[in-house]
Amino acid sequence: MQNITVLGSTGSIGTSTLDVVARHPDKYRITALTANRQVDLLFRQCVQFKPAFAVLLDEVSVSQLRAQLVDAGLKTEVLCGVDALEAVCVLPEVDAVMAAIVGAAGLRPTLAAARAGKKILLANKETLVMAGNVFMDAVRKSGSALLPIDSEHNAIFQALPRGYDGDMAGNGVRRILLTASGGPFRNTPINELQHVTPDQACAHPNWSMGRKISVDSASMMNKGLEVIEAHWLFNAPANDIQVVIHPQSVIHSLVEYVDGSVIAQLGNPDMRTPIAYGLAYPERIDSGVAALDLFKVATLSFDEPDFGRFPCLALAYQALRTSGTAPAILNAANEIAVAAFLDEQISFLSIPRVIESVLNELPAHLVTCLDDVLGADTDARRAAKQQISKLIK
Ligand code: NAD
Ligand code: MG
């Protein structure tokens, strides 16, 4: 029996995780569930999974959930705040942590789980983008098992040799081929992008996801963040990570070897596949995902990415090459710009403009500890807000 904490249980990845867990009550038990402030959904999840702990981020939501749990006669203890998120990751009885909070808020609890040596199912890519070396150091020191849940990285993990140690050349790996759907605006005329709405940006052709990552997919910043994520997970230099546009989202990524072999992982675009893989590794369990029907898919196509159409992708490569705090600055500026776009304060095309000016304004520093990252994150958020207020005037 594995005891699991799900960070961000009310989100897209969180609910898919609970869907897989519910199929295997003999294998997995939920110790803690956490959410920002979605009280009603968290309450229903508590009724179904009876965790020992639930965490919410503000006192009002905490009181509401406590009252609902008392009425229902449930014993789940409700905790409040960021420290509580860390606390439910490091409990001695917890075996695995699903890191599925969106954005920089996921960093501290995920890092706490790594320092405590827990098995980590990593969906929160922002942790690696912001603090790749700090996080990977913690994983190495504690001996945590790290299972990538992002579908592309899960595919690469499956296509690499078992026990891959970060030595690409030693394992005969030439390149990582990271697939991208191209999002909803792959073929939209560039002059129309100025006026696209948040709902249009969130209407992803293949995947159903939270709003922040949906906008990232539309701008291809998501793929940029994933290039940085792949760099840290697989110790791959930027030059050896090739983004491949693959609109069908059936091949989730590929690994190219020096002998010319290319190994891919395929499947329907449903996050329950990588989640089930991470939960059961090294075994396989049913995920509830329908079998892939290759006859229905019929055609797989591939294109080179257009950096002119998707400047966010170029900015992410640039930040990775600059290294140090540059990726943390990129990530923070992106979070602020995406939030402003979702609030209809700035246009879709202003997102890369804000990020680029923040990257130009703030010099990158070396990262030696978490505080370096958090300092860069704070500075970049402030700079991005200033840029946005200039645009709004
Ligand atoms: P989502 O918006 O659907 O859910 C986010 C979860 O985090 C919710 O439970 C929310 O309550 C919680 N949360 C939000 N802000 C918080 C805060 N400040 N403090 C604590 N908790 C907070 O997001 P999602 O689509 O499930 O994505 C989660 C993570 O997984 C992201 O990092 C995303 O990049 C990554 N990811 C998602 C998908 C996908 O298909 N959705 C695929 C690959 C990777
Ligand atoms: Mg992905």
Side-chain angles (χ1 to χ4, degrees), residues 110-111 113-118 120 128 131-146 164-167 230-236:
T110 310
L111 187 59
R115 288 181 171 150
K118 304 301 184 189
I120 298 170
L128 279 175
N133 66 343
V134 176
F135 180 74
M136 292 306 285
D137 269 356
V139 165
R140 271 188 292 269
K141 276 195 193 123
S142 70
S144 281
L146 178 58
Y164 172 75
D165 55 0
D167 180 3
H231 162 75
W232 289 112
L233 283 172
F234 309 117
N235 195 27

Side-chain angles (χ1 to χ4, degrees), residues 168-179:
M168 282 180 71
N171 284 281
V173 176
R174 188 190 283 147
R175 277 196 310 171
I176 284 171
L177 304 171
L178 193 68
T179 53

